[in-house]
């Protein structure tokens, strides 16, 4: 994957996470800066990347949908199934990038979607298993490995 493609993927993931409250507006600005450095460019991306920390909270809601449109990326509606699936994938990417532990990924998926998102159902089940690991026949390392495998499946 080229640096430009990776930056586009990162910006897409951050947009999804921001839209559901899992990322801060300033994180989106940082991703916009990284996207510019990687070679992505659009008029509104430049404006977004130039936002100060204080401006981000006010400007990101208006600028981000325009940036995504200019870059042919997707802005998912908050309650759409496609947006929920994109959120699960973005969280899986965070695990694979070392930003979340397997336990944190399973917990966030379970808290956000319960057992209602078929794409991530196994992660919700694994979160339940973490809660009873001391009473079961599986180790923490085995659960972590299965969560990581699920994250790879989602990310792929």
């Amino acid at each position: 994957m080229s640096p430009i493609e990776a930056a586009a993927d990162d910006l897409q993931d951050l947009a999804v996470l921001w839209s559901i409250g899992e990322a801060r507006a300033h994180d989106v600005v940082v991703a916009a800066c990284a996207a510019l450095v990687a070679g992505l460019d659009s008029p509104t991306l430049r404006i977004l990347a130039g936002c100060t920390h204080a401006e981000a909270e006010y400007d990101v809601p208006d600028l981000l949908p325009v940036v995504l449109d200019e870059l042919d990326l997707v802005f998912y509606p908050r309650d759409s199934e496609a947006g929920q699936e994109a959120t699960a994938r973005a969280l899986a990417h965070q695990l694979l990038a070392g930003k979340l532990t397997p336990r944190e990924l399973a917990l966030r998926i379970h808290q956000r979607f319960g057992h209602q998102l078929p794409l991530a159902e196994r992660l919700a089940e694994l979160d339940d298993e973490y809660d009873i690991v001391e009473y079961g026949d599986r180790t923490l390392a085995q659960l972590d490995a299965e969560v990581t495998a699920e994250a790879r499946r989602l990310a792929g």
Side-chain angles (χ1 to χ4, degrees), residues 12 15-16 18-20 65 68 74-87 113:
Q12 178 74 73
V16 169
W18 172 81
S19 74
I20 63 155
L68 295 176
V74 180
F75 187 78
Y76 294 98
R78 171 169 251 157
D79 295 325
S80 69
E81 185 173 342
Q84 292 173 346
E85 290 178 354
T87 298
F113 306 114

Side-chain angles (χ1 to χ4, degrees), residues 122-137:
R122 185 64 187 134
L123 288 172
E125 292 169 354
L126 289 167
D127 182 53
D128 290 334
E129 289 189 39
Y130 276 112
D131 294 337
I132 59 167
V133 70
E134 65 268 10
Y135 306 109
D137 58 350

Side-chain angles (χ1 to χ4, degrees), residues 7-20 28 40 63-78 80-87 89-90:
D9 285 351
D10 289 346
L11 186 59
Q12 178 74 73
D13 283 352
L14 236 336
V16 169
L17 295 174
W18 172 81
S19 74
I20 63 155
V28 174
L40 278 175
L63 295 175
L64 185 58
V66 177
V67 167
L68 295 176
D69 185 57
E70 289 174 351
L71 297 174
D72 291 325
L73 299 174
V74 180
F75 187 78
Y76 294 98
R78 171 169 251 157
S80 69
E81 185 173 342
Q84 292 173 346
E85 290 178 354
T87 298
R89 287 187 178 96

